[in-house]
Amino acid sequence: MRILVVNGPNLNLLGIREPEIYGRRDYTALIAFITETAGREGIETECFQSNHEGAIVDKIQSALGAFDGIVINPAAYTHTSVAILDALKAVGLPTVEVHLSDINQREAFRKVSYTSLYAEKTIVGLGFEGYRQALLYLKSRLGG
Ligand code: CA2
């Protein structure tokens, strides 16, 4: 089973500021966590991060025929991007949306998620653990 993990803008800066919201661990630690967790579950992952909406759309499009599912934290694009929503819909793969923080307990604009209009499941507020739960959900969903 192959899962594409997509992380959006500024997540590459994890750990440098706002530890009370996003934790103290950095992006390298997040990728190590995802890769190790997936490996233990027999899941192959590719992790992709971009600060550019179009690059994220391109990556999602390239998942067709190459991956069985998608885990995505679109970061700020969660709240603005119809293009990412449309790409997910077009590709049609089972998708789980993850947020490190609880977007429902923050500013009003973060309560809106375009991604969640397609994602089968949205996991918020669990930090790195949210990615583990997303992978486990897709494993079970895909019969793995
Ligand atoms: O909670 C999440 O995972 C978010 O997707 C993170 C985004 C935010 O825009 C979403 O509303 C919720 C922000 C990602 C990175 O933000 C940083 C902020 C300061 C220092 C480093 C990263």
Side-chain angles (χ1 to χ4, degrees), residues 7-19 21-22 73-79 97-103 106-107 109-111 123-125 131:
N7 283 301
N10 299 309
L11 283 164
N12 56 314
L13 296 183
L14 265 189
I16 69 159
R17 252 184 265 294
E18 302 191 275
I21 299 176
Y22 301 117
N73 181 348
Y77 290 139
T78 305
H79 319 298
E97 173 186 4
V98 174
H99 297 285
L100 295 162
S101 65
D102 184 349
I103 54 175
R106 300 182 62 191
E107 302 96 323
F109 70 85
R110 293 189 206 271
K111 291 185 177 37
I123 300 168
V124 302
Y131 289 82

Side-chain angles (χ1 to χ4, degrees), residues 14-67:
L14 265 189
I16 69 159
R17 252 184 265 294
E18 302 191 275
E20 67 289 355
I21 299 176
Y22 301 117
R24 294 193 178 281
R25 289 179 288 179
D26 65 11
Y27 186 69
T28 304
L30 175 60
I31 297 312
F33 175 85
I34 291 168
T35 308
E36 280 160 28
T37 302
R40 269 198 304 277
E41 297 295 333
I43 302 169
E44 209 181 313
T45 48
E46 180 180 324
C47 293
F48 174 81
Q49 188 275 331
S50 179
N51 296 325
H52 304 279
E53 186 175 19
I56 293 171
V57 168
D58 287 344
K59 191 66 191 179
I60 292 168
Q61 287 187 8
S62 78
L64 195 57
F67 292 93

